[in-house]
Amino acid sequence: MSAATRSASLKRRDEKLAIKDHKLRVKKQKNTQNGIPVQLTPTQKILNVLLHLVMLLMVVYCLVPLIWLVFSSTKTNDELYTANAMWFGDHFALWDNIVQTFTFEDGEYGRWLINTLVYAAVAGLGATLFATFAGYAIATMKFHGRKALLWVTLLFMSIPSTVITVPLFLLYSKMGLTGTPLAVIVPQLSNPFGLYLMIIYAQTSIPISLVEAARIDGANTWTIFWKIAFPLLSPGFVTTLLFALVGTWNNYFLPLIMLNDVRDYPLTVGLNVWMKMAGDASYHVVPNNMILTGSLIAVVPLIIAFLFLQKYWQSGLAAGAVKQ
């Protein structure tokens, strides 16, 4: 066999192997897209089933209280104790419960809802902006004390917020801020977890060469941050914002000790006041259906925030996954 014939034979063989390999890859990709498992081992199958069971238990654990709250909010106070807990009552009283909740005690629930929205928006957005600014600076700039800031951030992450609440109260009382909304907003502008999250995200998503190229082209630090860095940081920004909003919205102990006027309470403290009134005969008794309806309404803004911010989160992740 001549060299030319042998070369042509090897070329045809390589072409056949390449075509066969391509067909196998396409078939595997189609199976993956269609949800068909690709030749799992017995151990992998068992682990797969166990993981699905664990996820199912977690979903049930999270959804059952919410489902019970929805059903309970549609019942009258008497039906809470007589009707099926996981189903509607004989009378669909959701709208009546909402009206009673917002009109009870001259509409103090509406005031609590507005307070919570203001606290969450100002403190949550402010904490996220500060964490983004500081995280970008620590991740991309070199200055004295940079490593010390990282260690301090990790240290404060390990300290529960309730531990420093009493010292904060003593500090703010000396400053004359206790009893004002600032005593609730200002402490929550510091978010060590959000700062650490933004540091890690900035280190992995912002190429230093890109920042240096923009600086060589004459862009200042502010322009580089908003025009180049911030679009890359948007998924991390939204993630930190969601954590900050949830943390501020659900904060109970800080406003409890900082505020002394019922009109300044957020929903967490206000609903707890109603629960105490419901169990004390010396007060004007609050019906339990109103407390449950108020709890359901308190969850709705967080659900809306997650649904609204999710598209920005996913679009940012998708944009960051594409390398130009």
Side-chain angles (χ1 to χ4, degrees):
M1 181 181 294
S2 63
T5 304
R6 180 179 177 83
S7 176
S9 177
L10 291 173
K11 185 177 181 181
R12 286 194 297 270
R13 187 196 65 179
D14 292 340
E15 290 177 352
K16 290 180 180 179
L17 290 175
I19 293 173
K20 184 177 180 180
D21 182 67
H22 176 70
K23 289 181 178 179
L24 289 175
R25 288 176 180 273
V26 171
K27 183 178 180 181
K28 183 177 180 180
Q29 185 177 4
K30 288 182 177 179
N31 289 340
T32 303
Q33 292 176 350
N34 295 330
I36 302 175
V38 183
Q39 297 179 352
L40 294 178
T41 63
T43 303
Q44 290 176 332
K45 291 180 180 179
I46 294 174
L47 290 176
N48 189 32
V49 173
L50 290 176
L51 287 175
H52 279 79
L53 288 176
V54 171
M55 291 299 297
L56 179 61
L57 290 175
M58 292 177 64
V59 170
V60 172
Y61 177 80
C62 294
L63 286 183
V64 167
L66 183 60
I67 294 173
W68 173 81
L69 183 61
V70 171
F71 286 139
S72 299
S73 300
T74 62
K75 301 173 184 176
T76 62
N77 194 55
D78 294 333
E79 288 177 339
L80 289 175
Y81 309 100
T82 58
N84 186 357
M86 298 302 291
W87 196 243
F88 300 102
D90 296 333
H91 304 86
F92 189 80
L94 176 61
W95 311 120
D96 294 336
N97 291 339
I98 293 176
V99 172
Q100 293 177 17
T101 301
F102 278 97
T103 56
F104 183 76
E105 293 291 337
D106 296 327
E108 63 182 0
Y109 181 86
R111 179 63 182 264
W112 296 340
L113 179 59
I114 294 175
N115 293 340
T116 308
L117 289 171
V118 172
Y119 297 156
V122 177
L125 184 60
T128 306
L129 285 174
F130 289 149
T132 305
F133 293 151
Y136 167 76
I138 295 174
T140 61
M141 301 177 183
K142 295 182 180 180
F143 52 88
H144 294 292
R146 178 172 173 268
K147 292 184 178 180
L149 283 176
L150 289 174
W151 285 107
V152 170
T153 302
L154 291 173
L155 177 64
F156 275 97
M157 282 179 58
S158 62
I159 301 176
S161 59
T162 53
V163 173
I164 62 174
T165 302
V166 174
L168 281 175
F169 172 78
L170 297 176
L171 174 64
Y172 279 66
S173 63
K174 293 290 185 180
M175 300 171 61
L177 293 177
T178 54
T180 66
L182 288 176
V184 177
I185 294 174
V186 175
Q188 297 185 92
L189 293 176
S190 173
N191 187 355
F193 174 75
L195 173 58
Y196 181 74
L197 183 64
M198 291 308 301
I199 291 173
I200 300 301
Y201 196 86
Q203 288 176 342
T204 56
S205 64
I206 301 178
I208 300 299
S209 58
L210 187 63
V211 176
E212 293 176 350
R215 189 173 289 114
I216 292 173
D217 290 338
N220 57 34
T221 302
W222 193 250
T223 302
I224 293 173
F225 175 79
W226 285 113
K227 298 294 184 181
I228 298 175
F230 189 75
L232 297 174
L233 292 174
S234 58
F237 180 86
V238 174
T239 304
T240 305
L241 178 60
L242 287 174
F243 280 112
L245 288 176
V246 173
T248 307
W249 192 275
N250 294 330
N251 199 334
Y252 170 76
F253 192 52
L254 179 66
L256 176 65
I257 69 170
M258 289 292 187
L259 301 175
N260 49 31
D261 191 345
V262 177
R263 294 176 299 176
D264 294 332
Y265 283 169
L267 287 173
T268 50
V269 181
L271 288 173
N272 186 63
V273 171
W274 277 8
M275 290 181 63
K276 292 181 178 179
M277 291 172 62
D280 193 338
S282 61
Y283 289 101
H284 181 193
V285 177
V286 182
N288 287 324
N289 62 325
M290 284 175 45
I291 299 175
L292 295 175
T293 304
S295 301
L296 178 63
I297 297 173
V299 177
V300 172
L302 287 180
I303 297 176
I304 294 175
F306 270 90
L307 295 177
F308 178 74
L309 295 174
Q310 186 181 25
K311 61 179 181 180
Y312 298 101
W313 190 9
Q314 292 177 343
S315 63
L317 289 174
V322 179
K323 293 185 179 295
Q324 301 294 336

